[in-house]
Amino acid sequence: MGVNWSLAADQEVFASFARNVHTFQGSNSGPFGVTAEVFERIRGTVKPETSTNYELGWRFSGAALNTSVTAYRVDFDDRLLAIPQCLGIIGCESSIANVGSVKTNGIEAALSWRPMTHVTWFNSAAWNDSEYDDDYTIETEDGATVVPTAGKQVVDAPEWIVRSELSYDNGAFFARLDANYVDERFYTYLNDASAKSYTLFNSGFGYRFDSLGMVKQLTLQADITNLADKEY
C-alpha cells in the first residue's frame, strides 16, 4: 500500500507499507532439506519468515537537479536458521528453527546534478542499521548452548554504502568515472570477525556509431574495473 502527495510541481512526499511472507524453500536451508525424523519433529512448530516494511520519503525534480531522501524500517520476524544437533566434526543432521527477529532502520539519499550540457554528477549514500533481537539455543546431546546474538549486527550488512559518479554523454561519445565505498561488515553472528571497508574506482568510455553500412547502430565500449588495483 502506498500514497503520494504533491507539495508543488517539482516536489512530492511518498509513503508505503508492505507485509511479506517468505514461503518455505525446498533446499538444505529450509524445513524440507532435513531427514523425515527431524521433519516430523518440527512440522508443527516452524513458521515461515515474515517482514513488515515502512517507508517515508521526499523527491525533488528540477531542470538540472534531482534529489530524494527516503527513510525506512523493516521488522523481520521468525528468522529461520539451520542448527546442527551435534559438534560439526562428528557430522549429523541439522534442525530448522525460528530464532527470533531482526530490526532494520535505514536512510537512503540520492542527488543527480547536471552542471552543464551532457555532464551529470550522480551521488548516493545509504545508511543501514540491522540488528538481531534475540539469542538462540543449540541443543545437543551434551546439553544446551546459548548463542548470544541479541544486539549484534546482521552479517554481511555494511552500515554505510556511498557512490559518486561523474559522466559525460553527448549522444555519440560517452565516458564515466565512479567511486564506490562499502563500509566494514561482519561475517560472524557474534561480530567477532569482519571484512574491512574498501573504496573502488572504475571508469568506462565508448562511442555510438549510427548508420554504419548495413548496421543501423554500433556501440564500442571499454570498461576498467578497480582502477587503483585495490585488494579487498
Side-chain angles (χ1 to χ4, degrees):
M1 179 179 68
V3 295
N4 282 50
W5 180 32
S6 294
L7 301 176
D10 54 5
Q11 296 184 60
E12 68 174 0
V13 174
F14 58 92
S16 68
F17 168 83
R19 177 76 173 167
N20 301 294
V21 178
H22 188 201
T23 58
F24 294 124
Q25 300 298 296
S27 65
N28 291 334
S29 61
F32 306 115
V34 297
T35 64
E37 179 183 355
V38 173
F39 180 76
E40 286 300 322
R41 189 165 66 241
I42 67 175
R43 64 183 300 180
T45 59
V46 174
K47 301 176 182 178
E49 298 170 331
T50 62
S51 67
T52 306
N53 309 277
Y54 311 88
E55 184 181 65
L56 176 66
W58 168 81
R59 295 190 192 98
F60 172 83
S61 299
L65 184 68
N66 292 277
T67 186
S68 66
V69 179
T70 306
Y72 62 88
R73 178 182 175 91
V74 180
D75 295 324
F76 182 69
D77 297 311
D78 295 316
R79 184 171 66 93
L80 285 172
L81 187 67
I83 302 176
Q85 302 301 293
C86 65
L87 296 177
I89 193 172
I90 298 175
C92 64
E93 63 191 14
S94 293
S95 180
I96 304 299
N98 295 114
V99 292
S101 59
V102 174
K103 293 293 185 293
T104 296
N105 296 291
I107 299 176
E108 298 178 347
L111 184 148
S112 179
W113 178 42
R114 293 181 295 278
M116 62 184 70
T117 306
H118 310 314
V119 176
T120 302
W121 186 24
F122 173 80
N123 298 273
S124 66
W127 172 80
N128 178 286
D129 178 42
S130 297
E131 290 187 356
Y132 298 113
D133 289 337
D134 309 277
D135 299 332
Y136 68 90
T137 303
I138 297 178
E139 300 280 355
T140 68
E141 296 178 354
D142 299 323
T145 301
V146 176
V147 182
T149 52
K152 299 295 193 297
Q153 291 291 311
V154 172
V155 296
D156 200 26
E159 186 176 8
W160 283 97
I161 296 178
V162 181
R163 174 181 174 83
S164 183
E165 178 181 289
L166 183 64
S167 62
Y168 175 88
D169 191 336
N170 64 8
F173 175 75
F174 57 93
R176 65 170 178 82
L177 175 66
D178 64 71
N180 303 271
Y181 171 79
V182 177
D183 203 4
E184 177 189 26
R185 61 209 186 281
F186 297 102
Y187 57 82
T188 62
Y189 288 119
L190 300 183
N191 292 175
D192 52 5
S194 64
K196 295 181 179 180
S197 62
Y198 63 87
T199 302
L200 294 185
F201 295 91
N202 311 295
S203 68
F205 58 92
Y207 195 88
R208 305 181 188 93
F209 297 90
D210 290 326
S211 301
L212 193 64
M214 294 186 298
V215 179
K216 291 185 178 180
Q217 187 179 66
L218 175 67
T219 300
L220 298 180
Q221 180 173 339
D223 293 298
I224 305 173
T225 303
N226 196 3
L227 276 171
D229 195 26
K230 173 76 172 178
E231 293 186 2
Y232 64 100

